[in-house]
Every structure is written in C-alpha cells, then in structure tokens.
Amino acid sequence: MSKESMPLLGATEIRRLADELGIRPTKTLGQNFVIDGNTIRRIVAAANVSPEETVLEIGPGLGSLTLGIMDAAAKVVAVEIDPPLAKRLPQTMAEFRPGRENDLTVILSDAMKVTELPGEPTALVANLPYNVAVPVVLHLLEHFPSIRHGLVMVQDEVADRMSAGPGSKIYGVPSVKGAWYGTMRKAGVIGMNVFWPAPKIQSGLVGFTRDTDRSDAPDRKQVFAIIDAAFAQRRKTLRAALSGWAGSGIRAEQILTLAGIDPKERGEKLDIDAYIAIARAAEQVPAEPKPES
Ligand code: SAM
C-alpha cells in the first residue's frame, strides 16, 4: 500500500475511539484531536522526517498524528499524560498499522517531567497542548540534544511569536530562547474545523532546525536570566530593565557598554547573539560588593 493510501483517523474513527474509552476531550489538557487525514499528511510532509529517524511525539492523544508519523519514520516515541489515551495507543497502532506495533514506544508522563527517553529521537513532531506549548518545546530542546529538527502545531499567535525576529511587536521570550537552540520558522496555518472538538482559534505550524553550536557560549541559564529580565520590563531601557539582574544600574550600564550595546536600547531590539554578548561581558565586570548589614 502506498503511504498516501494508508488509513488515517477521520471523524468517525475518532468518535468511535473516544466512545469506546468513554472519554470527553478536556480543555485543561488541550485535547483537540485532528480528524482530517489531509492535515496529518500536510504536517508530516512539512516535518521533513527521513525514514531512518526516531521521532518524538508529545501528546499523541487518540493517535491521529502518530499513524502519519509512523508512515514516514522508523520509530515513534510518544509521551502522553492522559492514562486511557496512553493505554489505548498501542492497540490503535496494531489495528491501523499491523506489523509496526514494535516501532512504537508509549510513555505515560507529563512531557515537562521527561528527562530520559529511549532510542535517541532525532526529530520532534507534535500537535501540542496549547497551554504548555512553549515550555514543552524549550524543555525538550534543553534535555534532548539528539533532537535536531522538528515541527510543532501550536496556537497561530504562538507560532508567530516563536518565529518572530527582533524589533517586531510579537518578538518576546519564546522567540529569543527558541533562537538559542536554532532557527524557528512559521510553516503554515491550520483552520479550526480539522479538529474535534474545534478550537476557537486557528493553529500555526512552526518548523525548527538545531543549527547553532553553543558550546563556546556562556552558561545557558545566565543568558536566559538576562532575557527574562529584559522582557519583564520590555518598555524600559536595558539599563533599567537589567539593573536588578546586574545588581545596580551602573553595573548594568558597564556590562552593556562592554558588550557593545547602547544602554538606552530596549530588549525587544536584541537578537540572541546580543544576549550572549551581554552574558559574556558580565563575566568581566565584577559584581559590586554587597553593603554590610
Ligand atoms: N496528537 C493528537 C492529535 O493531533 O489529534 C492530540 C493532540 S491534543 C492537541 C494534545 C494532547 O496532549 C492530548 O492528547 C493531551 O492529553 C496531551 N497532553 C496534554 N498535556 C500534556 C503534557 N503535559 N504532557 C504530555 N501530553 C500532554
């Protein structure tokens, strides 16, 4: 059978599975299941998965995307938080892709708590629970350097933010932290009626490639602390926004000047390289001694 004609889950199958499990999709877990095979094929095609790859999927749900990924990859490791869904997935794989059961590993866990995975996945492909999409992506990129590329579906607005460049209004913490790990690009928009239940807003696809080497960069936590401080007060100048982090406005100004950045600039204008330069400069400007109490 060609890949195009392999059966995927449509509205009827999704309802049948949900009825059988006696589940009602919950908003808290961001459960909107894809009921359209063409959307699944589109996501998998955009993900650019090679046949030898092991793909990590977060939130497989009833398996809509899992089946599509399996057709493109060697193995799938799926992390699902909801016990009945995690339990049913191997059976769905056996039903719809007989012979591929052993290529699927299901892990019952909160994605934010996973720090070890079998099989060194090289790609992440997921229709993410929308309320935790950004932290989940950052957590996985931090803990699994084996992941070299991927494609995630998130709220459209979040997709725009993740892929935004410096200077734009929507550029923020997700954009800069994402850029630490590599290049994020918007890869399309998905309408509401391909889901059950249909969400109230459009979804967006974000593709990413880990194309940066940070081995010579300062500690990631230091860089991320500077990013958090700069965007916590994004209307302020960097001198003011970073004064708490630096210990004083004077030290913040010294660090920024040493990094070649105008202290009157705003954080939303800086790219990840500039934040790295600030962290590097901070290592050379001694912290002011704390006043004795
Ligand atoms: N992949 C399926 C699809 O496309 O039809 C379902 C996607 S649905 C938007 C999100 C899925 O993530 C649900 O199955 C939900 O139970 C699961 N989920 C929610 N929070 C999670 C978490 N913290 N860790 C792992 N899975 C989670």
Side-chain angles (χ1 to χ4, degrees):
M1 208 185 286
S2 75
K3 276 180 189 166
E4 288 66 36
S5 56
M6 297 283 249
L8 291 164
L9 304 180
T12 316
E13 290 79 21
I14 291 288
R15 296 283 184 141
R16 171 171 69 80
L17 287 169
D19 282 351
E20 182 203 301
L21 292 174
I23 57 143
R24 295 249 242 100
T26 77
K27 256 201 176 146
T28 350
L29 292 179
Q31 291 176 336
N32 300 94
F33 302 116
V34 177
I35 52 169
D36 175 53
N38 288 334
T39 302
I40 294 299
R41 286 193 192 94
R42 195 179 143 198
I43 295 172
V44 173
N48 244 326
V49 170
S50 319
E52 72 285 355
E53 284 193 283
T54 294
V55 175
L56 171 63
E57 183 190 6
I58 300 300
L62 290 166
S64 307
L65 184 53
T66 324
L67 296 180
I69 301 170
M70 193 57 102
D71 295 339
K75 286 179 192 306
V76 178
V77 176
V79 177
E80 171 60 58
I81 199 171
D82 199 1
L85 298 179
K87 190 158 174 258
R88 181 61 168 80
L89 194 58
Q91 198 186 325
T92 304
M93 189 56 69
E95 244 178 65
F96 286 84
R97 294 294 182 275
R100 298 297 307 273
E101 304 88 314
N102 293 340
D103 297 330
L104 171 70
T105 308
V106 182
I107 296 166
L108 173 63
S109 173
D110 178 343
M112 290 300 291
K113 299 207 171 117
V114 173
T115 50
E116 269 176 53
L117 285 170
E120 299 241 313
T122 49
L124 166 69
V125 182
N127 171 14
L128 290 172
Y130 289 173
N131 47 351
V132 289
V134 171
V136 164
V137 169
L138 295 176
H139 172 84
L140 296 171
L141 288 170
E142 177 191 341
H143 286 91
F144 302 103
S146 65
I147 296 177
R148 306 307 304 169
H149 71 114
L151 187 100
V152 292
M153 176 147 70
V154 296
Q155 276 178 23
D156 194 34
E157 174 205 334
V158 175
D160 287 336
R161 254 188 277 147
M162 286 171 81
S163 51
S168 73
K169 265 200 193 134
I170 52 172
Y171 183 68
V173 172
S175 337
V176 206
K177 288 187 179 174
W180 166 270
Y181 294 105
T183 306
M184 305 264 165
R185 60 185 188 284
K186 180 93 181 267
V189 175
I190 305 276
M192 294 165 267
N193 54 5
V194 301
F195 298 93
W196 175 73
K200 292 202 171 65
I201 35 169
Q202 298 200 118
S203 303
L205 301 177
V206 183
F208 67 86
T209 315
R210 199 194 284 263
D211 50 8
T212 50
D213 175 9
R214 302 289 180 212
S215 46
D216 291 337
D219 181 45
R220 182 189 57 78
K221 285 193 183 128
Q222 294 296 330
V223 179
F224 279 20
I226 301 168
I227 296 168
D228 287 331
F231 282 94
Q233 297 170 292
R234 63 186 287 155
R235 301 266 158 260
K236 293 202 173 168
T237 64
L238 279 165
R239 184 191 192 279
L242 296 185
S243 60
W245 161 79
S248 70
I250 294 172
R251 182 162 180 261
E253 182 161 348
Q254 286 170 342
I255 292 169
L256 287 160
T257 308
L258 185 62
I261 293 159
D262 180 353
K264 291 202 270 317
E265 192 59 278
R266 284 175 175 72
E268 61 201 18
K269 292 271 159 45
L270 303 191
D271 64 9
I272 185 65
D273 293 332
Y275 282 102
I276 291 172
I278 297 172
R280 202 166 268 137
E283 288 168 359
Q284 292 165 50
V285 179
E288 288 155 33
K290 292 218 167 65
E292 279 176 36
S293 51

